[in-house]
Amino acid sequence: EDKVVQSPLSLVVHEGDTVTLNCSYEVTNFRSLLWYKQEKKAPTFLFMLTSSGIEKKSGRLSSILDKKELSSILNITATQTGDSAIYLCAVEKGTGNQFYFGTGTSLTVIP
Amino acid sequence: EAGVTQFPSHSVIEKGQTVTLRCDPISGHDNLYWYRRVMGKEIKFLLHFVKESKQDESGMPNNRFLAERTGGTYSTLKVQPAELEDSGVYFCASSQVSGRETQYFGPGTRLLVL
């Protein structure tokens, strides 16, 4: 059965801390892995990863995919209160183009 | 426990035709959301039901889109008549309470309008 698991389920940190969010998957015919940040309404796209070992960076956020371990991590350095959100991981299958979402990691950054 | 399910997984229709997408949320979840992924990777909010009531439909693009949730269980999203720009992946998600609680996403329905 295809599935995506995220950990931890929730996290509370202080401003300035660095956090690492995990996403592991068991999805046949993997196509890509996507990270989203959800605050209010729709999830906001962060990264799409298709190749193993290549880090993608956007400001204080970075992410990398490990196809051997069937996992990805999302790093946030020097966290700010505005980083508080639910971070979703989704895996897209190549066949059928179905998506499998994890249940998200709820991050709370306190001043 | 069954997750959020969506039907069909794919739909290919011609411009001008009608399509109805269905979402079955997790049992007991009062909140149901529809989203659309069109070009690129961004996901756009369409609307939010709380039970059978539309809590927020500010994301519905135009009156060709009609969402219903009779009885507060499953929901349908009808597009009539479909246009080329309606092509994309339509996601449904559900949650027990609204706000920052985790939403459980369905696998999506891929719609292609030719």
Side-chain angles (χ1 to χ4, degrees), chain B:
Chain B
E1 179 186 319
V4 177
T5 58
Q6 292 186 243
F7 181 84
S9 58
H10 288 82
S11 182
V12 181
I13 60 173
E14 291 185 335
K15 176 183 169 181
Q17 291 184 324
T18 297
V19 63
T20 300
L21 314 180
R22 174 172 169 144
C23 168
D24 284 80
I26 292 173
S27 177
H29 281 193
D30 288 342
N31 293 271
L32 188 149
Y33 307 81
W34 282 101
Y35 298 95
R36 178 170 70 164
R37 183 189 184 211
V38 282
M39 295 176 64
K41 304 130 191 137
E42 288 293 347
I43 295 174
K44 301 292 184 187
F45 168 82
L46 294 178
L47 88 159
H48 169 207
F49 281 101
V50 177
K51 296 186 181 178
E52 66 274 9
S53 300
K54 291 176 186 173
Q55 181 78 10
D56 181 352
E57 52 183 326
S58 60
M60 294 288 264
N62 51 60
N63 59 11
R64 295 185 295 102
F65 287 74
L66 175 64
E68 294 180 321
R69 194 183 180 196
T70 308
T73 54
Y74 71 90
S75 174
T76 57
L77 179 65
K78 182 159 76 172
V79 185
Q80 178 183 32
E83 297 289 343
L84 300 178
E85 64 265 25
D86 300 333
S87 296
V89 182
Y90 290 78
F91 291 108
C92 172
S94 73
S95 68
Q96 276 191 316
V97 294
S98 59
R100 267 208 45 199
E101 192 199 70
T102 295
Q103 293 178 19
Y104 294 81
F105 278 77
T109 292
R110 185 170 292 271
L111 174 65
L112 180 59
V113 183
L114 302 175

Side-chain angles (χ1 to χ4, degrees), chain A residues 76-90:
Chain A
I76 308 175
T77 59
T79 52
Q80 301 170 358
T81 54
D83 295 328
S84 296
I86 292 176
Y87 289 82
L88 290 167
C89 170

